[in-house]
Amino acid sequence: MNILIFNWRDLKHSWAGGGEIYIFELAKRWVKAGHHVTVFCSQDPYQKLRDKEKYSGIEIIRKGNRFTVYFWAPIYYLKYFKNKFDFIVDIENGIPFFTPLFSRLPKLCFVYHIHGRQFFFELPPPLSYIGFFVERLVFPFIYTGIKVVAISKTTKKDLIKIGFKESNVKVVYSGITKPNNKNGVEKKFSSPTLLYLGRIKAYKRVDLLVDIFKDILKNNPRAKLKIAGWGTEASGLTDIIMRGEYRRKIHILGPVSESEKRKLLSKSWLFVNPSIGEGWSIAVIEANAYGTPAVAFKVPGLSESIKHGYTGLLARSKKDMIEKINKILRDKSFRERISKNAKNWAQQFNWEKTEREIMDVIKSLRK
């Protein structure tokens, strides 16, 4: 089968995140199963990647930026892709590629989360209003009758709220790359260490984590904060940290390799995600697999990936988050208990199961 994927980024993109991990883990397995997979995506604004290349057996075609890629998609399809593919995967990241308007091929739409107010964190007006309007009204209208895969129950509920039929939305959780003999669980850092790992975007609110860290230090003077990742807000965040009183306690690492990521997830005492909302959180589950519990606000997605009181804690306010972090750092027996629970929780997620469920949907749509 020849599969065409429309996604706004690929794994080599500077802003690649959990969404890219999700689709590329599937694509690699499809290639291994004998399918031909092509990904059409945007160029990277920070590094000039090749317009066409192949890695992990996947054909990559890059055109346009984060906005114009949506205009290039139908042009490329009609000029180069038409009659060459059997199935389309259309990935919605705030807005979809509107493939029903230019292709009659069977298709599946992936939605990681409904962005909602995130548009107003990330984009200036009028772009924020346009994005909000398109996602709330245009997207459900154009995709009426199109099968949708949601990454969590939270995302499915949000899709139903904006007009999708419940019967057309299937929840398929992401897998994770689990520890093995070569990248197993390591001994924790000697100092209480908090970890944020992910993109540094406005809606992720990593600056809030930096701000409350001074309050964490009042009860845990040996504590350290490690921030791994990059994004549009990274430069500003680095400046805040370097000018701050606790710059020697906060380490901003930038993008990290897979081996570095595994080491950080394994050795940190606690994973913290202060985001306003997620579709799920692969990083939370990966941290859990290494015995690292998580703390986040009680927001969509994260309130589903974190089992409150079992694999981590969910906070209702900034003050409450400080209290939740302090509890885990200072209560060793509680920390060890939820660490064990987190490992057990993470065991049920694997990419093979995810791929099987998605492929079953694809096969049913091609009948």
Side-chain angles (χ1 to χ4, degrees), residues 1-179:
M1 179 168 42
N2 294 313
I3 303 171
L4 176 59
I5 300 171
F6 288 98
N7 192 40
W8 73 327
R9 300 176 299 216
D10 68 286
L11 277 178
K12 291 187 178 182
H13 196 286
S14 300
W15 298 344
E20 283 64 54
I21 292 172
Y22 188 105
I23 193 59
F24 274 81
E25 287 293 338
L26 296 177
K28 286 189 292 185
R29 285 163 175 79
W30 292 339
V31 169
K32 191 175 181 180
H35 304 293
H36 178 267
V37 181
T38 298
V39 175
F40 182 84
C41 58
S42 65
Q43 257 293 354
D44 191 309
Y46 300 109
Q47 53 179 332
K48 178 58 179 175
L49 300 172
R50 283 184 288 173
D51 291 336
K52 295 181 180 181
E53 71 169 305
K54 189 174 185 177
Y55 60 81
S56 299
I58 305 163
E59 299 280 351
I60 311 294
I61 298 175
R62 303 182 180 97
K63 188 69 177 178
N65 59 33
R66 64 186 294 197
F67 301 114
T68 61
V69 65
Y70 294 98
F71 296 100
W72 280 111
I75 295 171
Y76 255 67
Y77 180 82
L78 295 172
K79 190 173 182 179
Y80 301 110
F81 299 153
K82 194 175 182 180
N83 302 321
K84 293 183 179 179
F85 292 91
D86 306 305
F87 195 86
I88 289 176
V89 174
D90 182 337
I91 300 175
E92 193 261 11
N93 284 286
I95 63 172
F97 282 86
F98 297 108
T99 56
L101 297 180
F102 57 84
S103 175
R104 294 183 178 180
L105 285 178
K107 56 186 63 67
L108 182 61
C109 181
F110 284 31
V111 181
Y112 301 126
H113 65 109
I114 294 300
H115 288 59
R117 65 191 184 110
Q118 182 183 319
F119 283 112
F120 302 99
F121 274 79
E122 296 296 329
L123 297 172
L127 292 177
S128 54
Y129 289 97
I130 292 171
F132 185 85
F133 171 79
V134 168
E135 184 180 59
R136 283 299 175 98
L137 299 175
V138 182
F139 173 41
F141 176 74
I142 298 295
Y143 285 73
T144 298
I146 301 296
K147 192 74 174 182
V148 177
V149 165
I151 199 173
S152 65
K153 291 178 182 177
T154 301
T155 299
K156 180 173 182 175
K157 288 178 182 177
D158 289 342
L159 284 165
I160 293 169
K161 285 180 182 177
I162 65 172
F164 282 88
K165 291 182 179 179
E166 183 176 359
S167 59
N168 274 349
V169 183
K170 180 176 176 59
V171 175
V172 182
Y173 291 106
S174 69
I176 58 167
T177 302
K178 296 179 181 178

Side-chain angles (χ1 to χ4, degrees), residues 15 66 122 199-206 231-233:
W15 298 344
R66 64 186 294 197
E122 296 296 329
R199 288 181 297 143
I200 303 176
K201 304 278 285 180
Y203 81 95
K204 299 284 189 179
R205 298 192 295 192
V206 188
T232 52
E233 308 302 309

Side-chain angles (χ1 to χ4, degrees), residues 108-277:
L108 182 61
C109 181
F110 284 31
V111 181
Y112 301 126
H113 65 109
I114 294 300
H115 288 59
R117 65 191 184 110
Q118 182 183 319
F119 283 112
F120 302 99
F121 274 79
E122 296 296 329
L123 297 172
L127 292 177
S128 54
Y129 289 97
I130 292 171
F132 185 85
F133 171 79
V134 168
E135 184 180 59
R136 283 299 175 98
L137 299 175
V138 182
F139 173 41
F141 176 74
I142 298 295
Y143 285 73
T144 298
I146 301 296
K147 192 74 174 182
V148 177
V149 165
I151 199 173
S152 65
K153 291 178 182 177
T154 301
T155 299
K156 180 173 182 175
K157 288 178 182 177
D158 289 342
L159 284 165
I160 293 169
K161 285 180 182 177
I162 65 172
F164 282 88
K165 291 182 179 179
E166 183 176 359
S167 59
N168 274 349
V169 183
K170 180 176 176 59
V171 175
V172 182
Y173 291 106
S174 69
I176 58 167
T177 302
K178 296 179 181 178
N180 56 38
N181 293 334
K182 291 184 178 180
N183 54 41
V185 176
E186 298 188 34
K187 187 178 179 181
K188 297 293 184 184
F189 289 115
S190 57
S191 298
T193 303
L194 309 182
L195 173 67
Y196 171 82
L197 188 151
R199 288 181 297 143
I200 303 176
K201 304 278 285 180
Y203 81 95
K204 299 284 189 179
R205 298 192 295 192
V206 188
D207 58 326
L208 184 149
L209 178 57
V210 170
D211 181 53
I212 67 172
F213 188 63
K214 62 181 183 295
D215 298 295
I216 304 300
L217 287 169
K218 291 176 183 177
N219 290 292
N220 302 274
R222 294 177 58 246
K224 294 181 180 179
L225 169 61
K226 294 183 182 292
I227 300 169
W230 205 249
T232 52
E233 308 302 309
S235 297
L237 184 68
T238 302
D239 187 60
I240 291 170
I241 293 169
M242 290 299 102
R243 292 173 183 271
E245 181 181 354
Y246 304 105
R247 60 186 177 275
R248 297 188 186 280
K249 290 280 191 176
I250 304 173
H251 304 147
I252 187 158
L253 307 173
V256 295
S257 66
E258 278 299 309
S259 60
E260 290 172 320
K261 182 181 83 169
R262 290 192 292 264
K263 191 171 185 178
L264 287 167
L265 291 171
S266 182
K267 293 175 72 66
S268 297
W269 287 35
L270 181 63
F271 185 91
V272 184
N273 187 336
S275 174
I276 66 167

